[in-house]
Amino acid sequence: MPIYLCRPDITEKEIEAVCAVLRSPDLSLGPRLAEFEKAFAKYIGRKRAVAVNSGTSGLFLSMLALGIGPGDEVITTPFTFVASATTIMMAGAIPVFVDIDPVSLNIDAAKIESKITGTTKAILPVEVFANPAGIDKVCKIAQRHNLEVIEDSCEALGSAINGKKVGAFGTMSVFAFYPNKQITTGEGGMILTDNDDLADMCVSLRNQGRAKDSGWLSHERLGYNFRLSDINCALGIVQLSRIEEIKAKRKQVAKWYQEMLANDDRLTVPTEPDNCDISWFVFVVRLADDFTLQQRDKVLGAMKDASIQVGNYFPPVHLQPFMAERFGYKQGDFPVTESVCKSTIALPFYNNLRKDEVAIVCKKLKETLNRILPAV
Ligand SMILES: Cc1ncc(COP(=O)(O)O)c(C=O)c1O
């Protein structure tokens, strides 16, 4: 049996909730949709929540609701999942990258202001790997320059900084529920905002541009089908009700890794920054600077050969071939990001990963490092 990179945590309660929807006539646009949105808005502490069929859809609709389009620039990070940047492009706007902080791995707030121009409309910060550090600073800069914030909280459900939950910072904030996330709906996403007009616009855009009280075949704007079915919402309601249990399980797994990988100069192991509560999404260690990309990839290969699933989160977004071709980005443009990207190893990480499995992963990782770059 391999040790998996991620696994969902589905109990009988989720199965029963999904089956109850299947026994009802309300498979979509039913009561579970409203219930999931209400519970989610309450959990984060926002006025409105709009469920959609993916985090990508949520980011894209946030752009449209804010009127971001051709000719606009949106500042974001090159160290993220590609959808943070591609959704800016889907709206017809230009992603402008700012390098990252080498510790939090989030956008470096100190470098943002030099990239703000007359056409900058918004900043799209990401709480990468669920680390909320710096989001408050980004919002202050946006406020000073009268810019919107689209908070990409897709990886960070349950994280908080100074007691304020992520998803409560942006003009609009977005979560994602793919099965590797803290909670899953199979596929799904959620948009949050305190602005009724923005929320109402997203409700219309996700449902073919229909108006609130018009008929099924009356469309007042160009819209999409980004609806989340009640089957997905029923799963999400139960998962969300378990968030504290889920957070605690993940904190325990992170602690085992931190203990078992401590005191090895070849590794940087993630920890919780001051004033931050991390709701762990993944557990990504980094190799020391004297490892090359080729050596890192050798480590990944050796782990996979031992049936331990690992990941290389993330390759730099600006160097994805289609990005480099479209915008002319090249190696060396964002040195901190590029140096981090060549060093990351995402280790198996999920709620029910056992201590003995964490021990197997750590032992294999150390053996592999000893072979590739012996400890000094
Ligand atoms: C930072 C970030 N943004 C956006 C997304 C997109 O979410 P989805 O896969 O639900 O479209 C993800 C998903 O992994 C993500 O990690």
Side-chain angles (χ1 to χ4, degrees), residues 3 5 254 256-270 283-288 291-292 295-312 342-348 353 356-375:
I3 301 181
L5 185 56
W256 288 329
Y257 271 127
Q258 285 163 341
E259 286 164 3
M260 291 185 209
L261 293 174
N263 303 321
D264 188 327
D265 288 348
R266 298 165 300 179
L267 289 173
T268 302
V269 176
F283 200 84
V284 179
V285 297
R286 281 154 56 203
L287 298 178
F291 280 88
T292 62
Q295 285 173 317
R296 192 280 308 267
D297 288 346
K298 244 184 175 173
V299 176
L300 295 180
M303 299 295 282
K304 285 177 190 161
D305 288 347
S307 294
I308 297 170
Q309 294 186 352
V310 285
N312 62 336
K342 75 172 180 56
S343 72
T344 54
I345 301 174
L347 298 174
L353 191 64
D356 62 301
E357 291 173 314
V358 172
I360 292 169
V361 173
C362 294
K363 184 162 175 271
K364 184 69 202 174
L365 180 61
K366 287 187 178 190
E367 272 173 22
T368 308
L369 295 181
N370 289 343
R371 228 172 351 98
I372 291 174
L373 192 77

Side-chain angles (χ1 to χ4, degrees), residues 266-286:
R266 298 165 300 179
L267 289 173
T268 302
V269 176
T271 54
E272 253 168 345
D274 287 347
N275 308 323
C276 292
D277 175 14
I278 293 191
S279 172
W280 292 89
F281 164 50
V282 285
F283 200 84
V284 179
V285 297
R286 281 154 56 203

Side-chain angles (χ1 to χ4, degrees), residues 130-145:
N131 187 340
I135 184 68
D136 44 352
K137 287 190 194 134
V138 173
C139 289
K140 278 197 189 117
I141 294 166
Q143 217 171 14
R144 212 162 43 236
H145 293 269

